Amino acid sequence: MTPEQNTPKVDLLPPLSLYIHLPWCVKKCPYCDFNSHQADRFTHNNALPEQDYLKQLLSDLEVDKPYVQGRPIKSIFFGGGTPSLMSADFYYQLMAELQQTLTFCDDIEITMEANPGTFEQEKFRHFRQAGINRLSIGIQSFQPNLLTTLGRIHNRDEAIRAVDKSRQAGFDNINIDLMHGLPDQSIEQAMADLTTAIDLQPEHLSWYQLTIEPNTEFFRRPPTLPADQILWDIQDAGQTLLAQKGYRHYEVSAYAQANKQAQHNLNYWRFGDYLGLGAGAHGKITLADGQLFRTRKTRHPNHYLQTLPESLTIKDAILTDDMPLEFMMNRLRLFESFALTDYELFCQQAIPETLLTQLNRAVEMGLLAKTDWEKQQIMTTEKGKQFLNELLELFV
Ligand SMILES: C[S@@+](CC[C@H](N)C(=O)[O-])C[C@H]1O[C@@H](n2cnc3c(N)ncnc32)[C@H](O)[C@@H]1O
Ligand code: SF4
């Protein structure tokens, strides 16, 4: 298809982002269920197969390119694993190829996940020069004992220095990943972590409550977690502190300074489209004929490298009947007002009567509010945020 044939459809399709997965880490953390693999266990002579992976990513993109359908790319997210393990050269080459193949929006957000144990300032200056304009630094905690329990490869000072070095390397849009509800953590310890993070003035804070995921070391050997009441108190005190310091709570675990929400994540939560490239990457695509489907790539890095590009993608249709729940599960975790007409663009179908009934029920229960009757705008209420699972169950 030529771009001319594609252009008229652009406004009728959801915005498009790009996710690229880099699957290697220095060491596997005991709580982590992401598709991440200890580099020296899966590579020869400790050298990452950067050139082979780059070549395969580009072939992967070539196969997925028809899904772009003329749309410019809104955001790119290099996620992991530990993307900052890869060399600057890898990103110079990859970004140049992406720019040749795709059209970038003028205000494109390009994020890289980075681990404080992989920080050399010169390398980060190059990442910035290659076009990456946002860093998401995985710190998790600043407390020495907890960093050890979490199996992290960095200490408190390295974590603090990583933020400082990022600023010096030219990054003016930084997220810090922090976890709470950690083994034996007290409310004082959780607040001390949050205060240290806020003092570093990141534009964005992702503050996750630790969950024990299957297939992790913590699942096999569960640590002692704080009691439920302490978890509630941490959540409460943390939200108050973040609000006082100017961080707006805009998604379950996401807090941002004014106009600094993560554009890439916003697109996920608004039920936008994204291409997913790399080992185990997930995507979501809408076609102009109204079909919606999810894509996932072969998971293991070695298998990903050895598979023919045209056989890398597994496609799963999103069924019409599942659409209302899928849409709501994403939209309602985002604490912003949205127009019901968005459903038609993002799901490519008229709003079903059953969905309208369910929405009205949620309004009656005080879990949703109509923010603008005429434009049919709705939003999750404070009560809805507190009882998000109950709210979502109304759409099952
Ligand atoms: C894919 S990880 C990438 C971060 C980067 N590799 C690092 O750890 O430095 C994204 C984030 O998810 C969060 N996370 C991972 N496992 C989690 C779990 N079991 N419970 C809560 N948050 C988790 C962590 O905060 C982590 O930084
Ligand atoms: S939390 Fe980050 S560094 Fe740790 S194993 Fe997962 S992806 Fe790798």
Side-chain angles (χ1 to χ4, degrees), residues 25 27-29 31-32 36 80-82 115 152:
C25 292
K27 194 174 152 225
K28 184 82 185 171
C29 303
Y31 55 86
C32 178
S36 55
T82 304
N115 184 308
R152 300 295 293 176

